[in-house]
Amino acid sequence: MDVKDLIRDYFNDDEKRLIRRAFDFAKKQHQGQKRKSGEPYFTHCFQTALKLAEWQMDATTISAGLLHDVIEDTKIPLENFKKEFGEEIAFLVDGVTKIGRVKYRQQNGEVTAIQSENIRKMILALSQDLRVIFIKLADRLHNMKTLGALPPQKQKRIALETAEIYSPIAYRLGMANLAGELEDLAFPFLHQKEYKWLSENIKEKFEERQKYSEKVKIEVEKALKEHKIEPIKIDFRAKRYSSLYKKLFRTSMNLEQIYDLVALRIIVKTVEECYAVLGIIHQLWPPMPGRIKDYIAMPKPNGYRSLHTTVFCVDNKPTEFQIRTAEMHEEAENGIAAYWAYSQAKSGKDYQKKKAIFAEKKELAWINQLKEWQGETAGSEEFLQSLKIDFLKDRIFAITPKGEVVDLPAGSTPVDFAYMIHTDIGNQCVGVRINGKIMPLDYQLQSGDLVEILVQKSKKPSQSWLEFAKTSIAKKRIKAALRGLPSIMRGKSDIFEFKIIAEDRVGLIKDVSSVFSRSHINIQNLNTADMAEQSVVRARCEINEEKTAKLLVLKLKKIKGVREISFRRA
Ligand code: MN
């Protein structure tokens, strides 16, 4: 643990001093504390900061990484901390602490897709600044590496949270390498048997494939030399256990059908060279139809760019090649962190070169994806300049006592929250406890608030609620209740629950939810449970008449692999 490892050559003297100060401070504050593994606690802070330094973050972020557990784990008041390290670092550390309070819980062993999505959004909303996410991801990575020291139940919860929440966030930020690493670290804790089967069956295959790849590499090098192409490097990439398992699951556990167990990766200098290399490979060996993928012309939604092809290679064995430039490679590994590094490494040697790449990427696919995901239309240039996540500023994410996340428009009150959960909860609401404290019903909710609605049977809503209720759903129901209409007439709609039994496959939930959204029906809750080779999906939604529900069944039947559909009034 040497502070020098955290200092990049592009930092000025002030920045270097800051990191040294944060290092000494964190070390002193955590003095005597031990991790469950028995290591000094400070090891964790150092490893988190080291990862951030590897991602070429700025000095502020690296310092905040060192200090990220100081407020939570020592008795230092936030005010004193601010005085010591300034508003910016205090803001980052506070952000990381807040995210840490969001806990992912599985309900009755069922994973709710919408809940996961809301938690991901909430984490982004709480972060406000992407640097908070980077610190949290670095923190989680080290925690996953040392997960073995924790009790089994905690292991499982943290592994699940990592696979369901943090790995997808990393993936959506284009940090594919990190996303895969997190998923792989979680895998043995979530699928013990499968992990054992895989590690027993794959080891020999891996070694065999490595040796084979060595042979192929020599032939490729020779051919490239003949065409006067000098690659930056050629290496092998072994497929990750977690993604291998997902793939095996889709191909009935047949290892022989996995062609990219070990893929050869060729890194060259220019885009032209990428295509030239693809041509050379295809001259050497015939390509397998349907396996040529041009992610340079058509990048993946998260911004991934590369050429992929599978050819009948040496000994007629199907072999995958990935061809890309060094820039594409760095982006594929580190995604948004790479761009962030470009934008801030102003004094770095490569700055001018990186700036040029950065400018070229203004219309990055992943930014569009991220915006689409959040339903936001602001200019990507604006977004890139700040790299702040304030496009979520219009939404509030509050938590129920059960840990469910409720997504509301900004300015919403406990009354809106109550009606969002259930009409009766809204009507019978008499008070609210926010983060354990009684608050007025017109209180404006903040992201991360824990909201506990106090109810009293046979209570009626008050006329005054209409003055501060924000959502139309709350207003509509307050008015209906005040008019004394029976519940079935209020808003003329009812809750229906659909049960869909289908063949278990990737993308099923997405297909189901898109049928609902295309029909302009909001799903309130979506559950899936896996049973012997099939999935049972339950979706609750509000529908005005039974005819609509029947129509929906017809549409749902068209989804691939659907076996049975039923619905009932909930
Ligand atoms: Mn930590």
Side-chain angles (χ1 to χ4, degrees):
M1 285 191 284
D2 191 335
V3 68
K4 286 199 194 91
D5 297 336
L6 305 177
I7 292 172
R8 306 281 104 176
D9 56 4
Y10 50 79
F11 290 158
N12 63 33
D13 288 346
D14 281 347
E15 291 169 330
K16 287 176 189 163
R17 256 196 301 276
L18 173 66
I19 293 176
R20 289 213 163 87
R21 210 151 54 80
F23 182 92
D24 294 337
F25 189 88
K27 199 169 179 182
K28 196 173 142 225
Q29 291 298 324
H30 291 295
Q31 190 93 58
Q33 290 181 343
K34 288 242 174 343
R35 299 264 294 170
K36 278 273 180 334
S37 59
E39 278 180 313
Y41 196 93
F42 181 68
T43 314
H44 167 68
C45 311
F46 179 78
Q47 289 299 331
T48 303
L50 192 61
K51 204 24 104 177
L52 294 163
E54 259 172 46
W55 290 338
Q56 300 188 45
M57 295 286 116
D58 62 348
T60 312
T61 312
I62 294 172
S63 305
L66 281 164
L67 296 162
H68 81 272
D69 278 326
V70 160
I71 294 189
E72 189 82 341
D73 290 349
T74 68
K75 292 290 161 261
I76 255 227
L78 188 64
E79 277 315 306
N80 296 13
F81 183 75
K82 260 187 207 162
K83 261 188 222 132
E84 191 70 35
F85 286 101
E87 290 283 342
E88 201 179 358
I89 290 184
F91 168 79
L92 295 177
V93 171
D94 190 46
V96 177
T97 309
K98 272 191 191 144
I99 297 181
R101 296 203 185 113
V102 182
K103 296 272 185 297
Y104 180 76
R105 289 184 194 85
Q106 238 183 334
Q107 284 151 11
N108 329 319
E110 290 182 345
V111 175
T112 60
I114 288 194
Q115 274 301 319
S116 300
E117 185 65 15
N118 274 346
I119 294 172
R120 283 177 219 132
K121 281 189 195 167
M122 174 167 162
I123 286 172
L124 286 179
L126 278 176
S127 307
Q128 288 175 52
D129 184 322
L130 276 178
R131 290 177 297 174
V132 173
I133 294 278
F134 296 147
I135 300 168
K136 185 66 202 176
L137 289 171
D139 166 62
R140 179 51 60 107
L141 181 65
H142 185 253
N143 283 338
M144 285 307 293
K145 284 181 179 165
T146 50
L147 196 60
L150 295 185
Q153 217 178 349
K154 229 173 166 185
Q155 283 175 344
K156 195 132 197 221
R157 188 189 68 74
I158 294 173
L160 191 66
E161 189 176 81
T162 302
E164 282 287 318
I165 308 295
Y166 288 104
S167 170
I169 285 179
Y171 185 77
R172 283 188 188 167
L173 296 175
M175 304 167 85
N177 199 33
L178 175 67
E181 197 175 354
L182 287 172
E183 210 177 350
D184 244 19
L185 287 165
F187 184 62
F189 296 97
L190 298 175
H191 307 279
Q192 256 155 358
K193 265 186 283 169
E194 292 84 348
Y195 177 76
K196 205 165 158 259
W197 182 88
L198 217 51
S199 35
E200 277 164 8
N201 285 277
I202 212 98
K203 203 172 160 274
E204 229 170 275
K205 286 231 152 44
F206 264 137
E207 282 163 8
E208 191 185 296
R209 279 305 254 190
Q210 294 272 20
K211 258 186 231 140
Y212 170 80
S213 302
E214 255 333 312
K215 262 203 295 194
V216 177
K217 183 183 169 183
I218 294 166
E219 295 221 15
V220 172
E221 275 171 341
K222 214 172 78 194
L224 293 186
K225 206 167 179 189
E226 275 165 25
H227 288 85
K228 300 200 168 47
I229 291 178
E230 214 182 298
I232 295 172
K233 78 176 172 198
I234 301 179
D235 61 11
F236 321 125
R237 186 219 51 149
K239 198 165 182 62
R240 293 187 182 279
Y241 274 23
S242 49
S243 63
L244 188 58
Y245 172 66
K246 277 187 211 156
K247 204 159 194 172
L248 282 170
F249 197 70
R250 288 201 297 266
T251 56
S252 50
M253 300 311 247
N254 187 355
L255 271 173
E256 303 304 320
Q257 281 175 24
I258 309 278
Y259 305 129
D260 53 354
L261 198 57
V262 176
L264 274 98
R265 197 147 52 190
I266 304 172
I267 315 242
V268 290
K269 290 184 205 81
T270 62
V271 172
E272 290 71 30
E273 279 186 351
C274 291
Y275 288 102
V277 170
L278 183 73
I280 294 166
I281 303 270
H282 287 172
Q283 269 172 21
L284 282 174
W285 302 292
M288 188 185 279
R291 299 272 312 178
I292 306 168
K293 301 207 174 95
D294 186 349
Y295 295 121
I296 294 179
M298 276 179 294
K300 284 193 189 178
N302 68 357
Y304 177 81
R305 294 181 304 156
S306 190
L307 297 174
H308 290 191
T309 185
T310 303
V311 298
F312 295 99
C313 200
V314 177
D315 307 330
N316 215 23
K317 271 191 194 169
T319 303
E320 186 178 278
F321 286 87
Q322 301 176 350
I323 308 154
R324 55 176 84 147
T325 65
E327 285 80 13
M328 290 175 198
H329 184 57
E330 196 176 335
E331 288 161 21
E333 301 277 288
N334 292 327
I336 196 166
Y339 297 110
W340 203 93
Y342 300 158
S343 71
Q344 60 86 24
K346 291 193 182 65
S347 46
K349 278 176 268 170
D350 298 340
Y351 180 63
Q352 285 311 323
K353 198 182 109 214
K354 284 181 169 181
K355 203 174 113 188
I357 302 161
F358 189 54
E360 201 182 287
K361 299 290 146 15
K362 278 189 174 156
E363 288 310 320
L364 261 176
W366 65 261
I367 292 175
N368 295 325
Q369 169 74 19
L370 206 57
K371 282 191 306 183
E372 209 174 283
W373 180 38
Q374 307 301 354
E376 171 62 43
T377 49
S380 59
E381 200 166 325
E382 218 174 281
F383 177 83
L384 265 179
Q385 269 167 12
S386 63
L387 279 169
K388 297 272 160 68
I389 313 175
D390 56 8
F391 50 85
L392 276 169
K393 67 179 182 296
D394 303 334
R395 305 301 297 178
I396 293 292
F397 299 90
I399 322 173
T400 70
K402 279 191 204 151
E404 281 175 314
V405 175
V406 179
D407 174 3
L408 293 158
S412 289
T413 63
V415 168
D416 296 292
F417 180 94
Y419 278 106
M420 200 58 102
I421 293 174
H422 198 274
T423 307
D424 291 341
I425 306 261
N427 286 340
Q428 298 168 5
C429 166
V430 289
V432 65
R433 216 176 281 152
I434 309 274
N435 306 321
K437 258 194 240 153
I438 298 282
M439 296 299 269
L441 282 177
D442 63 354
Y443 165 84
Q444 294 215 345
L445 294 171
Q446 308 287 315
S447 267
D449 276 347
L450 181 79
V451 185
E452 205 180 327
I453 300 289
L454 310 171
V455 293
Q456 203 179 309
K457 279 257 157 66
S458 71
K459 217 21 206 128
K460 277 253 158 89
S462 147
Q463 180 83 36
S464 67
W465 290 4
L466 288 169
E467 283 159 32
F468 57 75
K470 170 96 182 169
T471 54
S472 54
I473 200 161
K475 286 181 187 161
K476 206 166 84 185
R477 288 175 180 169
I478 294 167
K479 283 181 195 154
L482 288 172
R483 284 201 304 269
L485 296 171
S487 86
I488 191 100
M489 300 290 289
R490 282 177 215 156
K492 283 192 172 170
S493 58
D494 248 336
I495 307 288
F496 280 75
E497 188 179 276
F498 288 79
K499 184 177 167 191
I500 301 138
I501 299 179
E503 174 192 317
D504 190 37
R505 66 175 174 87
V506 175
L508 175 67
I509 296 188
K510 201 177 125 243
D511 290 348
V512 170
S513 16
S514 74
V515 166
F516 281 87
S517 65
R518 277 202 308 268
S519 311
H520 304 288
I521 290 167
N522 281 327
I523 301 179
Q524 292 183 337
N525 200 338
L526 189 71
N527 284 312
T528 61
D530 294 333
M531 301 207 226
E533 283 166 29
Q534 60 181 26
S535 278
V536 181
V537 182
R538 283 195 174 84
R540 278 166 84 94
C541 61
E542 209 170 36
I543 285 179
N544 48 10
E545 50 184 349
E546 198 157 318
K547 210 171 83 187
T548 316
K550 282 180 180 158
L551 224 82
L552 213 51
V553 169
L554 292 179
K555 289 183 192 164
L556 288 166
K557 270 194 180 144
K558 289 188 191 139
I559 294 175
K560 196 180 123 211
V562 164
R563 291 177 184 149
E564 219 180 295
I565 304 172
S566 59
F567 69 83
R568 63 180 180 90
R569 254 178 237 269

XYZ file of all heavy atoms in Angstrom, residues 465-510:
369
model
N -55.949 18.185 0.536
C -54.898 17.398 -0.125
C -54.751 17.798 -1.595
O -53.673 17.720 -2.155
C -55.202 15.893 -0.057
C -55.083 15.314 1.309
C -54.811 15.981 2.466
C -55.249 13.941 1.658
N -54.798 15.109 3.525
C -55.070 13.837 3.054
C -55.548 12.784 0.939
C -55.163 12.637 3.734
C -55.641 11.576 1.608
C -55.443 11.505 3.009
N -55.879 18.191 -2.193
C -55.847 18.542 -3.622
C -54.917 19.725 -3.885
O -54.431 19.893 -4.994
C -57.258 18.861 -4.120
C -58.175 17.650 -4.241
C -59.611 18.079 -4.469
C -57.707 16.730 -5.372
N -54.668 20.526 -2.837
C -53.810 21.691 -3.027
C -52.332 21.305 -3.184
O -51.564 22.021 -3.792
C -53.954 22.667 -1.849
C -55.231 23.486 -1.942
C -55.645 24.049 -0.606
O -54.757 24.343 0.222
O -56.869 24.159 -0.370
N -51.946 20.191 -2.587
C -50.524 19.838 -2.699
C -50.233 18.512 -3.405
O -49.089 18.224 -3.707
C -49.826 19.903 -1.323
C -50.452 19.023 -0.259
C -50.262 17.664 -0.270
C -51.231 19.598 0.759
C -50.825 16.861 0.715
C -51.795 18.803 1.736
C -51.607 17.423 1.716
N -51.260 17.705 -3.654
C -51.006 16.449 -4.365
C -50.455 16.774 -5.749
O -50.914 17.712 -6.396
C -52.283 15.638 -4.485
N -49.455 16.011 -6.166
C -48.759 16.358 -7.397
C -49.206 15.480 -8.581
O -49.355 15.947 -9.698
C -47.247 16.196 -7.149
C -46.392 16.287 -8.371
C -45.850 17.678 -8.534
C -45.023 17.774 -9.799
N -44.684 19.141 -10.134
N -49.403 14.188 -8.309
C -49.694 13.264 -9.400
C -51.178 13.271 -9.753
O -52.038 13.464 -8.883
C -49.300 11.826 -9.012
O -49.950 11.497 -7.778
C -47.807 11.680 -8.826
N -51.466 13.033 -11.021
C -52.862 13.042 -11.448
C -53.607 11.850 -10.856
O -54.792 11.929 -10.561
C -52.951 13.043 -12.964
O -52.210 11.976 -13.479
N -52.875 10.759 -10.650
C -53.525 9.565 -10.099
C -54.043 9.857 -8.685
O -55.170 9.492 -8.337
C -52.562 8.355 -10.153
C -53.344 7.047 -10.053
C -51.485 8.369 -9.087
C -52.559 5.849 -10.542
N -53.258 10.566 -7.889
C -53.688 10.909 -6.527
C -54.879 11.862 -6.580
O -55.888 11.656 -5.898
C -52.531 11.526 -5.742
N -54.774 12.886 -7.423
C -55.858 13.874 -7.519
C -57.178 13.223 -7.917
O -58.220 13.483 -7.319
C -55.495 14.954 -8.542
C -54.443 15.916 -8.025
C -54.141 16.964 -9.075
C -52.968 17.830 -8.640
N -52.365 18.525 -9.765
N -57.078 12.342 -8.916
C -58.278 11.677 -9.428
C -58.945 10.867 -8.314
O -60.158 10.901 -8.140
C -57.828 10.742 -10.564
C -58.891 10.449 -11.582
C -58.287 9.810 -12.822
C -58.126 8.317 -12.658
N -57.429 7.682 -13.791
N -58.126 10.160 -7.553
C -58.682 9.291 -6.518
C -59.188 10.065 -5.306
O -60.135 9.644 -4.651
C -57.651 8.250 -6.110
C -57.514 7.237 -7.226
C -56.457 6.238 -6.981
N -56.423 5.319 -8.126
C -55.458 4.447 -8.329
N -54.459 4.376 -7.486
N -55.505 3.656 -9.377
N -58.539 11.169 -5.002
C -59.028 12.000 -3.889
C -60.428 12.515 -4.250
O -61.369 12.395 -3.462
C -58.079 13.194 -3.618
C -56.715 12.692 -3.114
C -58.685 14.142 -2.587
C -55.618 13.742 -3.123
N -60.533 13.030 -5.475
C -61.832 13.567 -5.910
C -62.903 12.488 -5.879
O -64.019 12.718 -5.400
C -61.724 14.140 -7.334
C -61.050 15.497 -7.374
C -60.990 16.014 -8.811
C -60.024 17.172 -8.922
N -59.475 17.309 -10.279
N -62.558 11.312 -6.375
C -63.528 10.211 -6.399
C -63.980 9.857 -4.987
O -65.171 9.669 -4.733
C -62.910 9.000 -7.083
N -63.022 9.793 -4.055
C -63.351 9.418 -2.685
C -64.218 10.497 -2.032
O -65.128 10.209 -1.263
C -62.086 9.200 -1.871
N -63.929 11.767 -2.364
C -64.706 12.869 -1.791
C -66.144 12.832 -2.299
O -67.075 13.187 -1.588
C -64.057 14.212 -2.133
C -62.751 14.509 -1.391
C -62.103 15.763 -1.932
C -62.999 14.636 0.109
N -66.318 12.387 -3.537
C -67.671 12.280 -4.092
C -68.393 11.056 -3.553
O -69.565 10.859 -3.819
C -67.598 12.193 -5.626
C -67.306 13.528 -6.291
C -67.731 13.529 -7.751
N -67.117 12.459 -8.534
C -65.954 12.604 -9.196
N -65.311 13.742 -9.150
N -65.470 11.609 -9.886
N -67.642 10.233 -2.838
C -68.241 9.053 -2.215
C -68.618 7.953 -3.187
O -69.532 7.177 -2.946
N -67.936 7.873 -4.303
C -68.245 6.837 -5.283
C -67.685 5.487 -4.841
O -66.645 5.428 -4.195
C -67.624 7.204 -6.633
C -68.172 8.469 -7.286
C -67.324 8.838 -8.488
C -69.613 8.257 -7.692
N -68.371 4.401 -5.176
C -67.819 3.088 -4.868
C -66.519 2.861 -5.653
O -66.347 3.427 -6.732
C -68.901 2.108 -5.320
C -69.721 2.870 -6.293
C -69.658 4.306 -5.886
N -65.665 2.063 -5.102
C -64.310 1.948 -5.648
C -64.273 1.514 -7.111
O -63.428 1.949 -7.875
C -63.479 0.995 -4.797
O -63.668 -0.318 -5.216
N -65.241 0.678 -7.506
C -65.214 0.175 -8.879
C -65.451 1.296 -9.895
O -64.950 1.267 -11.008
C -66.235 -0.985 -9.045
C -66.032 -1.700 -10.393
C -67.675 -0.514 -8.930
C -65.265 -2.947 -10.247
N -66.196 2.362 -9.454
C -66.497 3.456 -10.359
C -65.375 4.495 -10.413
O -65.254 5.237 -11.365
C -67.779 4.183 -9.907
C -68.996 3.310 -9.856
S -69.538 2.860 -11.514
C -70.164 4.460 -12.057
N -64.601 4.538 -9.330
C -63.549 5.539 -9.271
C -62.560 5.366 -10.404
O -61.933 4.339 -10.523
C -62.762 5.384 -7.966
C -63.454 5.947 -6.788
C -62.605 5.660 -5.579
N -63.458 5.403 -4.440
C -63.084 4.702 -3.392
N -61.888 4.150 -3.371
N -63.898 4.524 -2.398
N -62.463 6.373 -11.219
C -61.495 6.317 -12.306
C -61.822 5.210 -13.293
O -61.100 4.992 -14.241
N -62.926 4.542 -13.063
C -63.396 3.487 -13.963
C -62.326 2.467 -14.327
O -62.185 2.070 -15.471
C -63.954 4.101 -15.246
C -65.339 4.688 -15.060
C -65.893 4.994 -16.408
C -67.338 5.400 -16.356
N -67.798 5.913 -17.625
N -61.519 2.071 -13.373
C -60.561 1.033 -13.731
C -60.357 0.056 -12.582
O -60.735 0.330 -11.445
C -59.236 1.658 -14.155
O -58.740 2.447 -13.117
N -59.773 -1.048 -12.906
C -59.594 -2.136 -11.975
C -58.210 -2.724 -12.127
O -57.598 -2.598 -13.175
C -60.611 -3.237 -12.300
C -61.640 -3.347 -11.201
O -61.324 -2.937 -10.063
O -62.744 -3.844 -11.481
N -57.772 -3.391 -11.072
C -56.463 -4.027 -11.162
C -56.650 -5.466 -11.665
O -57.468 -6.216 -11.145
C -55.786 -4.071 -9.777
C -55.752 -2.687 -9.138
C -54.398 -4.679 -9.886
C -54.796 -1.712 -9.737
N -55.895 -5.806 -12.667
C -55.911 -7.159 -13.197
C -54.539 -7.793 -12.995
O -53.534 -7.105 -13.062
C -56.218 -7.149 -14.698
C -57.676 -7.006 -15.013
C -58.297 -5.775 -14.866
C -58.420 -8.092 -15.450
C -59.640 -5.614 -15.154
C -59.765 -7.953 -15.740
C -60.384 -6.716 -15.593
N -54.554 -9.092 -12.754
C -53.275 -9.786 -12.707
C -53.217 -10.824 -13.818
O -54.113 -11.656 -13.941
C -53.050 -10.463 -11.355
C -51.635 -11.013 -11.274
C -51.319 -11.673 -9.942
O -50.964 -10.955 -8.995
O -51.438 -12.910 -9.871
N -52.174 -10.744 -14.615
C -51.964 -11.699 -15.707
C -50.919 -12.721 -15.284
O -49.926 -12.378 -14.662
C -51.468 -10.976 -16.965
C -52.522 -10.155 -17.621
C -52.852 -8.911 -17.107
C -53.200 -10.629 -18.731
C -53.835 -8.144 -17.697
C -54.191 -9.869 -19.325
C -54.513 -8.626 -18.807
N -51.170 -13.964 -15.659
C -50.187 -15.002 -15.378
C -49.775 -15.606 -16.720
O -50.629 -16.084 -17.471
C -50.826 -16.061 -14.473
C -49.877 -17.144 -14.026
C -50.600 -18.086 -13.075
C -49.805 -19.340 -12.849
N -50.608 -20.353 -12.150
N -48.503 -15.529 -17.014
C -48.023 -16.006 -18.314
C -47.007 -17.116 -18.073
O -45.998 -16.902 -17.409
C -47.350 -14.852 -19.096
C -48.364 -13.723 -19.297
C -46.805 -15.329 -20.431
C -47.796 -12.358 -19.087
N -47.298 -18.285 -18.596
C -46.348 -19.391 -18.479
C -45.648 -19.533 -19.819
O -46.298 -19.633 -20.857
C -47.065 -20.696 -18.086
C -47.737 -20.492 -16.719
C -46.082 -21.866 -18.033
C -48.488 -21.686 -16.223
N -44.333 -19.504 -19.781
C -43.597 -19.552 -21.040
C -42.306 -20.309 -20.871
O -41.815 -20.495 -19.757
C -43.305 -18.136 -21.524
N -41.776 -20.713 -22.001
C -40.471 -21.366 -22.057
C -39.452 -20.352 -21.527
O -39.507 -19.185 -21.868
C -40.233 -21.655 -23.525
C -38.924 -22.202 -23.922
C -38.803 -22.118 -25.441
O -39.799 -22.445 -26.140
O -37.740 -21.718 -25.918
N -38.564 -20.808 -20.668
C -37.602 -19.893 -20.073
C -36.575 -19.458 -21.108
O -35.926 -20.287 -21.711
C -36.897 -20.586 -18.902
C -36.088 -19.590 -18.113
O -36.568 -18.452 -17.971
O -35.010 -19.946 -17.647
N -36.479 -18.173 -21.345
C -35.472 -17.698 -22.291
C -35.114 -16.252 -21.986
O -35.872 -15.523 -21.341
C -35.973 -17.827 -23.728
C -37.147 -16.930 -24.027
C -37.518 -17.003 -25.495
N -38.725 -16.259 -25.748
C -38.751 -14.959 -26.015
N -37.644 -14.275 -26.088
N -39.896 -14.333 -26.229
N -33.942 -15.867 -22.493
C -33.499 -14.498 -22.312
C -34.406 -13.579 -23.138
O -34.767 -13.922 -24.246
C -32.030 -14.359 -22.769
C -31.578 -12.919 -22.705
C -31.144 -15.252 -21.935
N -34.796 -12.453 -22.590
C -35.600 -11.499 -23.347
C -37.094 -11.669 -23.171
O -37.877 -10.893 -23.702
N -37.492 -12.693 -22.423
C -38.927 -12.950 -22.235
C -39.620 -11.770 -21.554
O -40.649 -11.269 -22.011
C -39.131 -14.250 -21.424
C -40.579 -14.571 -21.068
C -41.397 -14.903 -22.296
C -40.650 -15.715 -20.063
N -39.007 -11.308 -20.440
C -39.625 -10.225 -19.674
C -39.742 -8.958 -20.504
O -40.733 -8.251 -20.463
C -38.800 -9.945 -18.401
C -38.877 -11.198 -17.536
C -39.308 -8.733 -17.646
C -38.300 -11.062 -16.194
N -38.682 -8.739 -21.285
C -38.683 -7.546 -22.134
C -39.850 -7.629 -23.126
O -40.570 -6.651 -23.331
C -37.347 -7.467 -22.877
C -37.023 -6.083 -23.358
C -35.657 -6.013 -24.019
C -35.771 -5.441 -25.394
N -35.383 -6.327 -26.461
